[in-house]
Amino acid sequence: MDISRLASVYQADGPFATVTLDVGHDTENAAHEHELKVRDACERLTRAGAGDDVVRQISELLGETVDQPAPVTRTVVATAEGVRFDEVSHQRIDQPVVSWEPLPDLLGWVRMAERNTRFVLALVDHEGGDIAVYNSDVPEPDFETTAGGETVHVHKTGMGGWAALKYEHETENVWSRNAEAVADELESLIRDGIRLVLVGGDPKSLGQVTERLEKSQAEIVQLESGSRHQDGGEEARADAIRKALLDHSVSRRLELSHLLKDRLGQNFAVATGVRDVADAFVQGQVETLITDPDTLKEHDLAVKDHPGLSIGVPGDAPVRADLGLLAAAIHTGAQVTTLPQAAIAGVPVAALLRWDQGSSA
């Protein structure tokens, strides 16, 4: 996962207050429970040493009612300089995160963000397509548009004769131009970073659109159900979308897990454990940091043992390993992903490297 948008959070001077809290209102006593959760988080921050100004900022933001369907989780990071990060996600958390540390406590947020897939849904027919951009944890689209729309000669006549053949040839051209317009709009969204495109609708139009996207950088998935003007088929379409999203997520994680396993088997361009991964960060080798946040937070990173390690914290005092290694990833432009420890060779953290220690960059 690309975490470059977190870079601005790390430009501030710490310490940092980080709170991730369930703020959804899906029960009868939700408002009262929300108030108690916020109060408890603020009391914990105060006990940890956060100043009154920082606690007040956290309290004001988390105390707001988020008028969105549950589940709703809000993550806020603040320092004495102000609020550095504030984001809502539609996922449940097992336990709140409340920390006052030299660095932001955002690896749990990374895990939630990874589960949220940004994708395009395109429903196509001979007249063009309806295109919408979604985040997988939000039911409403971020963006909607239509493409194509040319309707002159869009329907075949079913009649014979030379005139009919000419008419039907023009109809085929109209279908082709509408498919091309849909594909062009999808390519534009892919260039903007979309990496998953779900396409449903008329089979012939589907084939024309997907053929034009064969060399695309995105994964193109044809839905088994769903058409542009389908009545009563919303549930089947939703099931098809959920299946495609699950398959995409599982495939992506399995691919990464297999790559890590292969590198470990070859002992090539890979590091495992806090110490070796930190040394790889010093050398600028880390391409992808892979970690289990729940186990990594139990380990410390001895900064003094890794001269040149850039995490944005002055001095050589130890820091929590999850905080320090995420900061190192931010400072070096590394990707970050989360997996269970069992999928990381039984260690809390590993890294895929840009080059092997035994070779030159």
Side-chain angles (χ1 to χ4, degrees):
M1 175 181 169
D2 181 358
I3 57 170
S4 57
R5 71 186 186 93
L6 295 178
S8 61
V9 182
Y10 287 77
Q11 291 171 359
D13 294 328
F16 296 81
T18 306
V19 179
T20 297
L21 204 63
D22 179 353
V23 295
H25 282 212
D26 56 349
T27 65
E28 184 177 345
N29 298 320
H32 180 61
E33 292 172 357
H34 182 181
E35 181 182 347
L36 293 178
K37 291 176 186 176
V38 174
R39 183 187 306 167
D40 178 67
C42 290
E43 289 175 351
R44 289 172 61 182
L45 285 175
T46 298
R47 290 196 299 270
D52 291 344
D53 288 347
V54 174
V55 174
R56 183 173 63 254
Q57 293 177 84
I58 295 286
S59 177
E60 289 175 355
L61 283 177
L62 290 179
E64 296 172 354
T65 299
V66 179
D67 189 18
Q68 296 181 27
V72 181
T73 296
R74 191 168 187 174
T75 299
V76 178
V77 179
T79 70
E81 300 173 5
V83 175
R84 308 299 302 182
F85 185 81
D86 179 17
E87 185 160 300
V88 168
S89 62
H90 290 266
Q91 298 181 43
R92 296 191 187 279
I93 55 173
D94 295 330
Q95 295 291 333
V97 172
V98 181
S99 70
W100 175 248
E101 296 283 350
L103 291 164
D105 192 350
L106 287 173
L107 201 50
W109 174 87
V110 170
R111 178 164 54 188
M112 286 193 298
E114 274 192 303
R115 296 171 182 167
N116 179 24
T117 301
R118 190 165 173 80
F119 69 98
V120 172
L121 173 65
L123 301 178
V124 302
D125 59 19
H126 298 321
E127 297 181 12
D130 296 326
I131 299 170
V133 177
Y134 289 86
N135 287 303
S136 60
D137 66 352
V138 181
E140 299 300 322
D142 284 351
F143 168 79
E144 293 179 286
T145 189
T146 58
E150 186 177 346
T151 58
V152 177
H153 303 314
V154 76
H155 299 293
K156 293 189 175 183
T157 65
M159 299 170 60
W162 290 107
L165 287 175
K166 180 179 179 181
Y167 186 98
E168 293 202 2
H169 179 69
E170 178 57 26
T171 297
E172 294 279 357
N173 289 339
V174 171
W175 292 356
S176 179
R177 288 194 293 270
N178 283 334
E180 184 175 6
V182 173
D184 286 347
E185 181 63 33
L186 293 175
E187 281 287 11
S188 175
L189 292 168
I190 291 167
R191 285 194 296 271
D192 288 340
I194 296 292
R195 289 295 175 263
L196 178 63
V197 177
L198 310 183
V199 189
D202 174 78
K204 185 174 181 65
S205 299
L206 273 175
Q208 291 177 321
V209 171
T210 55
E211 182 180 357
R212 288 168 168 80
L213 297 174
E214 284 182 349
K215 297 182 180 179
S216 166
Q217 294 181 346
E219 179 183 353
I220 312 299
V221 178
Q222 293 191 33
L223 298 179
E224 297 177 359
S225 178
S227 65
R228 193 177 182 191
H229 302 295
Q230 183 175 355
D231 292 326
E234 290 82 2
E235 184 174 345
R237 181 194 302 164
D239 286 343
I241 292 171
R242 281 192 289 268
K243 181 180 183 303
L245 290 172
L246 179 60
D247 290 347
H248 174 75
S249 176
V250 170
S251 174
R252 185 176 56 186
R253 294 169 73 83
L254 281 176
E255 181 181 355
L256 186 63
S257 180
H258 290 159
L259 178 58
L260 175 62
K261 185 177 180 180
D262 289 345
R263 294 274 188 96
L264 288 169
Q266 300 169 22
N267 192 27
F268 176 80
V270 66
T272 58
V274 173
R275 177 178 289 274
D276 287 350
V277 170
D279 285 340
F281 270 121
V282 172
Q283 300 299 322
Q285 288 178 280
V286 177
E287 182 176 38
T288 303
L289 178 70
I290 306 172
T291 179
D292 180 343
D294 294 332
T295 57
L296 184 58
K297 69 182 181 181
E298 303 300 328
H299 296 260
D300 285 336
L301 172 61
V303 180
K304 65 181 179 60
D305 292 342
H306 307 279
L309 181 64
S310 177
I311 62 173
V313 175
D316 293 330
V319 298
R320 272 174 39 192
D322 58 328
L323 309 185
L325 293 181
L326 180 59
I330 289 285
H331 285 277
T332 59
Q335 300 277 310
V336 178
T337 195
T338 62
L339 289 174
Q341 180 169 300
I344 320 176
V347 295
V349 64
L352 300 176
L353 307 182
R354 296 185 172 103
W355 69 88
D356 188 63
Q357 188 67 31
S359 63
S360 58

